[in-house]
Amino acid sequence: MAGGKESPRQKMIGMMYLVLTALLALQVSSAIIQKFVFLDNSLINVKDKSVAENTALVSKIGEAVAAEGNKDKAITDQAASVRSETSKIIAYMDGLRKEMIEITGGLEEDGNYKGGKEEEKIANMMLGPEGSKKGKGYDLEKQLKAYETYLKGLGVKVPSLAMGGSEDPIFSKDPVQKRKDFAQLNFAETPMVAALAVLAQKETEVLKYENEALNELAAKVGASDLKFDNVVAMVRPESKYVAAGTKYEADMFLTASSSAITPTMTARGQALKVDNSTKMGKVAFTAQAGAYDKEGLSEQKWEGKINFKFKGKDTAFAVKETFYVVKPVIQVQSASVSALYRNCGNELSI
């Protein structure tokens, strides 16, 4: 499973996956069958909500692009393509679900599965004749890997969506499981209800990475939700130089930035380089001499702007900062004597 920052829903999906793999290792009983049914139903609910969210996000991207006169129509087309490719693979897995239910006897009058414990028919369907590797599990593996490659082409970081035993961190150290390929690992000696839960987990995983791809596209046109998810502790001292016996004073606070937007910044009319992770720009310039007051200080100002696009609209914040330039002083001093003598080798420090 992927690392990095995850939403509560994504963490829940990951936990369900761990529960699923643990249940697969247990001896099948009626109680375990019911747990598989519960797990499958929970994942299907997550899947349905994810589909609704991703569809809404595609609409937001289209609205943001339309508000800007369709100059970024390529982003709208790309978002529609992502939704289309995802829908195809989800529809394929939904088809596998229906077929599994049908070949194992369908539903009882009370809605329960007639063949919930059936393993052999699922193995024949997903693995094919023994040793042939012609089952639909291998077709599923190809489609998941093709979708993974498609998302990586869009710049989305996607782990393997169809891992074999040697690749899966949960099974890679198990001497038996690590020798299994993707289809064997997920569908061999697996009850029908467990196979349904495996498919549901794969669907939620696909939708998770679709959401990441759509959010990256949305950020390009300012259609993503503005969430301040990068928090940094900051300290702003009144001065870094303090005389002995005087107070050191500083403001300590938290600042937050949003990974959903990429701002552009300028200072004194010059563009700044913005850090991709913190979204902070670095201001640096050489202080120039000016009209000094009687204390040798010159009050000066600089102005800057922070611009970003949100929900299709350009948003800008102005920055005005005051600083003081201290009049430089050159001190000439003899290292040995207080008097300087003409035409003599007086050692000086400046």
Side-chain angles (χ1 to χ4, degrees):
M1 291 179 288
K5 298 179 180 178
E6 293 187 335
S7 68
R9 179 179 296 174
Q10 291 166 347
K11 290 178 181 178
M12 181 183 71
I13 293 170
M15 184 61 68
M16 286 182 175
Y17 177 67
L18 293 176
V19 173
L20 172 61
T21 54
L23 288 173
L24 284 169
L26 298 175
Q27 183 178 2
V28 178
S29 67
S30 296
I32 291 176
I33 289 294
Q34 290 303 314
K35 288 180 173 63
F36 276 123
V37 172
F38 171 77
L39 183 60
D40 180 51
N41 289 338
S42 298
L43 288 168
I44 289 298
N45 287 334
V46 173
K47 167 206 157 185
D48 292 340
K49 290 180 181 178
S50 297
V51 169
E53 285 183 4
N54 292 354
T55 302
L57 186 51
V58 172
S59 297
K60 283 184 181 180
I61 293 172
E63 291 169 3
V65 171
E68 291 292 303
N70 288 316
K71 64 182 181 180
D72 290 320
K73 189 176 182 302
I75 300 296
T76 304
D77 295 340
Q78 201 168 27
S81 175
V82 171
R83 185 84 276 273
S84 175
E85 291 299 317
T86 305
S87 297
K88 288 178 185 176
I89 192 167
I90 294 295
Y92 177 76
M93 286 190 275
D94 283 342
L96 293 178
R97 290 178 59 87
K98 291 178 181 177
E99 187 174 348
M100 287 179 180
I101 295 170
E102 289 174 2
I103 66 172
T104 55
L107 300 174
E108 301 279 6
E109 290 183 2
D110 60 2
N112 290 322
Y113 299 115
K114 288 183 179 180
K117 294 184 179 181
E118 178 62 49
E119 295 183 8
E120 186 176 350
K121 291 180 180 178
I122 296 301
N124 288 336
M125 171 186 166
M126 300 304 289
L127 303 180
E130 187 173 354
S132 67
K133 294 189 176 184
K134 292 183 178 181
K136 294 185 178 180
Y138 296 97
D139 292 333
L140 175 60
E141 179 182 13
K142 290 177 183 177
Q143 293 205 33
L144 287 171
K145 288 185 175 180
Y147 183 77
E148 174 191 331
T149 302
Y150 170 74
L151 289 184
K152 286 180 177 178
L154 299 177
V156 181
K157 294 180 180 179
V158 187
S160 177
L161 295 173
M163 292 185 288
S166 61
E167 301 169 290
D168 195 314
I170 297 175
F171 298 113
S172 60
K173 295 181 181 179
D174 187 306
V176 176
Q177 301 297 333
K178 71 179 183 180
R179 292 197 295 267
K180 294 182 178 180
D181 58 33
F182 168 77
Q184 293 167 341
L185 187 66
N186 289 282
F187 302 108
E189 300 175 348
T190 301
M192 186 271 283
V193 290
L196 293 182
V198 168
L199 289 174
Q201 188 275 327
K202 289 300 173 186
E203 288 182 311
T204 56
E205 197 172 2
V206 164
L207 290 164
K208 169 189 171 181
Y209 292 111
E210 180 200 23
N211 184 262
E212 291 188 10
L214 291 174
N215 271 311
E216 288 191 15
L217 293 173
K220 293 180 180 179
V221 294
S224 52
D225 292 331
L226 189 59
K227 297 178 182 179
F228 293 97
D229 51 355
N230 296 324
V231 181
V232 180
M234 300 286 288
V235 175
R236 183 177 60 189
E238 288 192 2
S239 175
K240 290 188 177 182
Y241 301 91
V242 184
T246 62
K247 286 185 179 181
Y248 171 87
E249 294 184 10
D251 296 322
M252 186 165 63
F253 53 95
L254 292 175
T255 63
S257 62
S258 174
S259 58
I261 59 173
T262 303
T264 58
M265 302 183 188
T266 60
R268 305 173 80 231
Q270 301 295 318
L272 302 181
K273 184 178 180 180
V274 180
D275 186 276
N276 287 330
S277 58
T278 64
K279 309 297 183 180
M280 294 182 181
K282 188 76 171 179
V283 179
F285 56 86
T286 303
Q288 301 296 322
Y292 299 106
D293 59 19
K294 61 182 180 180
E295 295 180 352
L297 299 176
S298 173
E299 181 179 308
Q300 298 190 25
K301 302 178 185 292
W302 64 268
E303 296 183 2
K305 284 186 178 181
I306 301 175
N307 297 276
F308 64 92
K309 186 172 287 188
F310 180 58
K311 295 190 181 300
K313 297 182 179 179
D314 289 322
T315 304
F317 289 93
V319 177
K320 294 183 180 180
E321 187 68 19
T322 299
F323 66 103
Y324 296 89
V325 178
V326 181
K327 187 176 183 179
V329 176
I330 297 178
Q331 183 180 20
V332 180
Q333 187 176 26
S334 170
S336 55
V337 294
S338 58
L340 300 179
Y341 297 93
R342 186 177 180 182
N343 295 329
C344 293
N346 297 286
E347 185 179 349
L348 300 176
S349 65
I350 299 179

